[in-house]
Amino acid sequence: MTQRRLAPLVALTVAALLGTAACSAIGDTGPDGGSGAGSTGGAGTVVLVTHDSFAVDRQLVADFERESGLTVETTSPGDAGTLVNQLVLSKQTPLGDAVFGIDTAFASRALTAGILQPYASPRTPPAADRFAVDDSHRLTAVDYGDVCINIDREWFRRNGLPEPRTFADLADPTYEGLTVVTNPATSSPGLSFLLATVDAFGADGWLDYWADLRANDVQVSDSWSDAYFVEFSGSQGNGPRPIVVSYASSPPAEVAGAGDEPTTSALLSTCFRQVEYAGVLAGADNPEGARQLIDFMLSTRFQQTIPSRMYMYPVDEQADLPPTWARFGPLSRQPHHISPGLIEANREEWIRRWTEVVVG
Amino acid sequence: MSDVAARLRPPGQPLGPTVLLVVAAALPLAFLGVFFAWPVGAIMIRGVVADGALDLNGFGQVLGTERTWRVIGQTLAQSVAGTLLAVLLGVPGAYVLYRCRFPGRAAARAFVTVPFVLPTVVVGVAFRSLLVEGGALGFLGVDGGFAVIVAALVFFNYAVVVRTVGAMWAHLDPRAEQAARALGASPWRAFRAVTLPALAPAIASAASLVFLFCATAFGTVLVLGGPAYGTVETEIWVQTTQFLDLRTAAVLSVVQLVVVGASLTVSGWSRRRRESALRVQADTTTDHRLRAGDLPAVAVTVAVVAALLLVPLASLVAGSLRTSAGWGVDNYAQLATTGSRGTLEVSVWQAALNSVRIATDATVIAMLVGVAICVVLSRRPRHPGGRRALGVFDAVFMLPLGVSAVTVGFGFLITLNRPPLDLRSSAVLVPIAQAVVAVPLVIRTLLPVLRSIDPKLREAAAMLGAGPGRIFTAVDLPVLGRSLGLAVGFAFGVSLGEFGATSFLAQPDRPTLPVVIFRLIGHPGGDNLGMALAASVLLAAVTTLVIGLAERLRVQTPGAEL
């Protein structure tokens, strides 16, 4: 008999579960009503799936939407690895129409898994051809950058040590205990740096190099944030180590005020070239919208915002770079490179062996 | 289900109410089934089925490596240590904050909850900045490693113990302990013989929650431990998101389920052994002014709050006030913008608004589901089978805390992707995912209180002619009243701070506060770090405010004089 007091609660619960979709936040905010990605399919909506570092000027997108008549929805499930793996997993019912942010390290997996359909954009700048992974036109290069060792120049000046310049220097006892790198299993710059050492020392030598680094008391952080903001001495965290794995574009971000020099610089002989690609997803509901979106990402107005928003270099050489970049964020002239196919074939194995040698 | 219903129904009672009970059980089960069990099951099946045939070789391979066992050992060690310490330190805290009366108590209660909702990545950075060579506490020489991970786990979970145990303690009739004292028992003996047994179910509840949080801690371990401290959770993340090795991930998920299942069994067993009707009080007369005898509890609480909570939070605030030019509030002014380098798509304030709205939805869902479950779970079936069924029902709703957000997130992709439930990139999923995590907290806060109500009270009310609605408002609600506020605050807090599941469903044009914080701290430039820290302080402030308000929420009814 006591159970009869349940009646009002049950009624309430039913109402709530049925009315979930009508809750306060979902109904009245944001540009869209939260419609399903693939299910809408109408000419009006295009869904961009991207990584968690994607950023764009909202005004630019609004302009694009007005001109094209499309509505752009974005979803970002995680870093580049998470992005590609989610797309592979959801191949049968794709998460959206277009993808941006497949990088060099995961390009081959995206191609082999067949998650993309060909599109050769007429807007592709000639300079982008050198980044083509194959000739199937499924991956369109949008931007690129270098992962390099960054050093805190101020620290070396203060401590009267010559600045390191090469991979070999990092293993030199002079620089013992000064370097922090990130874990290639959990951090994408960490993976890029591992690939740079594979290219520099070859399949036979790279693990020996890492053994030397370990003997030289290299610190390994699991995330870039921890390495850069806690361990590294050159940013606001003022940590103890003056040598860190970051990007060629990081030093311009450490310029304190206009007219100042950055306190850090990148070692250009240690860089790994990372290219970010976009593509039209196989089975997209709105492939035409996806193609227009890729054209938009190759437009000069979009390309020009890439450095400030995403810390990468635009593939379009006509796009203006921020003044500080031209001066303080030069790219490597001879970056290290490993073909996406070779990376895909060895990624897990390399990370496993790296873990054995460096973490133990 | 009908079988369960028959067992739940005490003999000689009409069937109608039983049907209602089944509905109250079925709706939350359906919710959990669709948004948790189905996705998790689907992704795990992907891992053990190869080319249409069951392939269990992965188990031998994964469990045959030494690293796997090291990872499992690490997970268990940190979870057990974190749980023990959180309980030992949290119980005195619950006493001081829920049994004693002093100026500023409401603020203190809200304050201890702040760490619980802070994004782990930021706290990791704040902890490490203190401990790193050259940091304020660098002289301790304990940068990284096991002790720091455990300290951080206690930092995050202290509030879970204080609030769960406190919710129970605040209702406990002090007269039993007073009687023991009058009969000559020492304060310690009176506590051990009278109060502790009464609190045992709440302590077991809290311990199981903390254990699950510790076992699935991700950001904390990642930032504070470094690569040498892999846990089952971080391994699942790497294997799933980076390698898409679903086979290995499935084995690890099974390991995780076994650990979680074992911990729930232990806590359920210790809870049931102790749980009984207690003399509970609905009003606020159970607390008393601080007195000399409270000194030990006060000392422990002050020490914990100062050393473990205040110091890291102070370093967070200090970091947020540091600018490239020295000190100032520039980072806070920046919150109205998308960052000086345009790192964000929306301003931090906008993200805060998104967070509050989404958390409101999540709280509503979690409360409705949670209260329905509690009503079912507070039954006392006489049949042992019925009791077992209830025990399983209880444990099932705790599972979301013990299963990796990665497994759930990737499971969503292959389940909620086609009609009738096509929720790909749908905004609805974010509050739902948060509610799934908040429901266990609601249950563990409300259930010990509801179960402590003597069923005779309800029967007496019915005898006197009260209808079911009247019984609920006259008997259950007054006792539940204050705890409802606690549960709402808890659910809201966990929703505000939820990052794991939210990050997989994130929509860049409508990010939550933890998502923008994660983004800021992932980009170079000192002002990005400063803004991330300022945004974390904002998150802490919003949480404190909301939880403080929820604590005041009290259902006033004519039955309150009970």
Side-chain angles (χ1 to χ4, degrees):
Chain A
M1 104 182 59
T2 50
Q3 285 98 328
R4 299 219 358 237
R5 69 201 170 81
L6 295 179
L9 275 178
V10 172
L12 214 58
T13 312
V14 174
L17 289 176
L18 293 179
T20 309
C23 282
S24 66
I26 297 156
D28 63 5
T29 57
D32 57 82
S35 53
S39 61
T40 50
T45 303
V46 59
V47 179
L48 174 67
V49 193
T50 182
H51 56 48
D52 54 14
S53 290
F54 177 77
V56 58
D57 185 341
R58 295 195 116 189
Q59 189 52 49
L60 267 188
V61 176
D63 291 346
F64 168 70
E65 288 181 325
R66 201 179 54 247
E67 290 156 21
S68 64
L70 290 161
T71 305
V72 181
E73 284 179 21
T74 4
T75 145
S76 63
D79 63 6
T82 308
L83 169 70
V84 172
N85 285 331
Q86 286 216 349
L87 289 172
V88 171
L89 194 61
S90 61
K91 192 176 138 188
Q92 303 304 326
T93 47
L95 288 172
D97 304 300
V99 55
F100 167 78
I102 297 175
D103 67 4
T104 310
F106 287 93
S108 189
R109 171 166 295 183
L111 292 176
T112 330
I115 57 171
L116 300 160
Q117 52 177 290
Y119 174 57
S121 170
R123 304 286 289 267
T124 309
D129 287 343
R130 62 197 156 121
F131 297 128
V133 179
D134 60 11
D135 51 11
S136 68
H137 296 293
R138 286 177 293 172
L139 287 173
T140 305
V142 173
D143 62 36
Y144 65 106
D146 287 343
V147 169
C148 320
I149 289 290
N150 277 211
I151 57 165
D152 177 5
R153 307 191 67 174
E154 184 60 27
W155 189 95
F156 285 101
R157 195 186 55 75
R158 231 178 21 244
N159 287 272
L161 268 183
E163 292 176 4
R165 310 185 64 82
T166 62
F167 279 120
D169 288 345
L170 305 189
D172 186 317
T174 315
Y175 301 103
E176 186 180 350
L178 300 186
T179 307
V180 54
V181 300
T182 56
N183 182 355
T186 53
S187 148
S188 100
L191 178 58
S192 292
F193 185 64
L194 180 154
L195 296 173
T197 62
V198 172
D199 186 51
F201 295 94
D204 303 324
W206 71 278
L207 278 171
D208 293 337
Y209 175 68
W210 277 101
D212 292 346
L213 277 186
R214 185 181 181 180
N216 216 23
D217 189 25
V218 69
Q219 164 93 26
V220 184
S221 289
D222 265 339
S223 75
W224 175 89
S225 314
D226 183 46
Y228 194 82
F229 283 132
V230 178
E231 291 289 342
F232 183 47
S233 60
S235 190
Q236 203 193 358
N238 295 320
R241 292 177 185 246
I243 307 173
V244 68
V245 169
S246 193
Y247 296 85
S249 59
S250 303
E254 300 300 341
V255 179
D260 287 353
E261 296 259 330
T263 53
T264 65
S265 71
L267 304 187
L268 297 183
S269 70
T270 62
C271 300
F272 185 80
R273 178 65 41 95
Q274 211 179 21
V275 185
E276 291 193 302
Y277 300 91
V280 181
L281 287 169
D285 283 329
N286 190 356
E288 179 48 37
R291 290 190 274 269
Q292 288 185 44
L293 200 55
I294 288 174
D295 291 349
F296 167 63
M297 286 191 263
L298 292 172
S299 67
T300 308
R301 54 183 175 165
F302 183 93
Q303 289 273 310
Q304 277 180 180
T305 65
I306 288 176
S308 61
R309 298 274 164 174
M310 293 191 267
Y311 299 83
M312 297 293 269
Y313 277 75
V315 286
D316 183 357
E317 290 176 332
Q318 306 303 315
D320 297 328
L321 287 177
T324 51
W325 278 48
R327 285 182 61 201
F328 308 127
L331 287 163
S332 174
R333 291 195 183 171
Q334 286 181 309
H336 292 283
H337 175 80
I338 293 183
S339 77
L342 199 60
I343 299 173
E344 177 61 24
N346 293 286
R347 189 194 307 108
E348 271 92 324
E349 178 64 12
W350 284 341
I351 292 176
R352 194 182 60 73
R353 298 183 63 184
W354 179 93
T355 308
E356 279 170 9
V357 169
V358 182
V359 182
Chain B
M1 190 48 69
S2 63
D3 184 39
V4 175
R7 286 186 200 158
L8 289 173
R9 184 164 58 92
Q13 293 205 353
L15 197 63
T18 309
V19 172
L20 287 178
L21 191 64
V22 169
V23 174
L27 283 172
L29 272 179
F31 175 80
L32 194 78
V34 170
F35 296 112
F36 176 74
W38 183 31
V40 169
I43 196 84
M44 285 172 66
I45 285 170
R46 280 277 179 110
V48 293
V49 173
D51 302 323
L54 193 64
D55 171 19
L56 298 176
N57 292 332
F59 282 85
Q61 282 165 21
V62 176
L63 297 177
T65 65
E66 182 248 330
R67 182 177 159 76
T68 304
W69 290 101
R70 205 171 63 208
V71 160
I72 294 173
Q74 171 68 26
T75 308
L76 289 175
Q78 75 174 39
S79 309
V80 169
T83 307
L84 281 179
L85 212 56
V87 168
L88 280 178
L89 299 175
V91 169
Y95 174 76
V96 173
L97 291 175
Y98 287 86
R99 209 56 199 227
C100 304
R101 206 162 48 234
F102 54 91
R105 183 178 68 174
R109 283 183 186 175
F111 174 77
V112 300
T113 318
V114 167
F116 183 67
V117 303
L118 285 179
T120 51
V121 179
V122 175
V123 173
V125 168
F127 254 75
R128 289 227 47 222
S129 302
L130 281 173
L131 296 168
V132 77
E133 188 188 330
L137 298 177
F139 62 89
L140 292 175
V142 291
D143 183 18
F146 189 74
V148 178
I149 294 179
V150 170
L153 291 174
V154 175
F155 170 84
F156 282 115
N157 291 303
Y158 180 69
V160 177
V161 179
V162 170
R163 294 177 72 88
T164 315
V165 176
M168 185 76 220
W169 214 330
H171 292 298
L172 220 52
D173 190 336
R175 279 172 295 189
E177 190 173 336
Q178 284 161 5
R181 292 294 315 279
L183 293 170
S186 69
W188 173 240
R189 181 159 162 72
F191 172 75
R192 273 192 44 203
V194 178
T195 312
L196 198 57
L199 289 178
I203 293 175
S205 267
S208 69
L209 278 177
V210 174
F211 185 88
L212 296 188
F213 278 123
C214 292
T216 56
F218 177 69
T220 318
V221 179
L222 213 58
V223 177
L224 293 173
Y229 287 88
T231 62
V232 175
E233 180 77 13
T234 59
E235 278 296 299
I236 291 177
W237 186 87
V238 169
Q239 296 299 338
T240 307
T241 70
Q242 303 301 301
F243 298 164
L244 200 61
D245 182 350
L246 297 180
R247 219 162 82 122
T248 304
V251 176
L252 293 168
S253 296
V254 169
V255 168
Q256 205 171 37
L257 280 174
V258 168
V259 170
V260 167
S263 83
L264 290 176
T265 309
V266 170
S267 88
W269 172 77
S270 62
R271 219 165 42 228
R272 268 191 301 282
R273 240 170 33 124
R274 297 287 191 180
E275 224 151 36
S276 57
L278 300 164
R279 289 194 62 94
V280 287
Q281 299 265 314
D283 51 28
T284 51
T285 55
T286 62
D287 57 3
H288 57 76
R289 283 177 183 284
L290 278 177
R291 52 195 179 212
D294 299 331
L295 198 62
V298 172
V300 170
T301 307
V302 169
V304 170
V305 168
L308 212 55
L309 270 54
L310 211 53
V311 169
L313 287 174
S315 94
L316 195 70
V317 173
S320 75
L321 292 170
R322 219 158 79 182
T323 67
S324 48
W327 299 88
V329 292
D330 305 26
N331 291 323
Y332 289 88
Q334 288 275 333
L335 296 183
T337 71
T338 56
S340 59
R341 295 164 214 278
T343 310
L344 304 174
E345 287 209 33
V346 302
S347 74
V348 176
W349 282 108
Q350 181 60 48
L353 193 62
N354 292 342
S355 264
V356 170
R357 285 181 157 157
I358 294 172
T360 305
D361 293 346
T363 306
V364 170
I365 301 172
M367 286 306 291
L368 289 163
V369 174
V371 169
I373 297 166
C374 282
V375 167
V376 175
L377 288 176
S378 65
R379 306 294 82 206
R380 296 174 179 280
R382 283 166 208 166
H383 193 286
R387 282 199 294 276
R388 263 199 302 280
L390 270 193
V392 171
F393 187 73
D394 187 336
V396 156
F397 284 94
M398 298 291 286
L399 284 182
L401 290 186
V403 170
S404 174
V406 180
T407 313
V408 182
F410 274 64
F412 275 173
L413 290 181
I414 55 167
T415 48
L416 307 176
N417 61 348
R418 57 186 86 94
L421 259 183
D422 185 357
L423 298 176
R424 279 170 296 163
S425 78
S426 164
V428 185
L429 274 185
V430 180
I432 288 177
Q434 294 179 352
V436 169
V437 180
V439 163
L441 292 170
V442 173
I443 299 176
R444 293 275 79 91
T445 307
L446 296 183
L447 193 57
V449 179
L450 261 186
R451 276 190 179 153
S452 68
I453 298 174
D454 193 332
K456 290 195 195 94
L457 278 178
R458 296 182 192 122
E459 285 160 22
M463 295 274 268
L464 296 170
R470 171 92 179 120
I471 295 176
F472 184 73
T473 53
V475 179
D476 296 78
L477 210 51
V479 176
L480 211 51
R482 235 175 322 159
S483 304
L484 276 178
L486 272 175
V488 165
F490 227 164
F492 198 89
V494 78
S495 305
L496 266 185
E498 211 288 327
F499 180 71
T502 307
S503 69
F504 285 112
L505 308 165
Q507 297 179 306
D509 50 1
R510 203 186 304 166
T512 63
L513 209 38
V515 169
V516 300
I517 291 169
F518 181 75
R519 190 184 173 88
L520 283 167
I521 208 163
H523 289 90
D527 42 0
N528 278 340
L529 175 64
M531 252 179 101
L533 297 176
S536 304
V537 174
L538 174 67
L539 178 62
V542 171
T543 310
T544 316
L545 189 73
V546 171
I547 290 182
L549 287 177
E551 290 248 324
R552 288 170 187 276
L553 189 81
R554 198 163 300 164
V555 186
Q556 292 291 352
T557 63
E561 70 276 10
L562 184 84

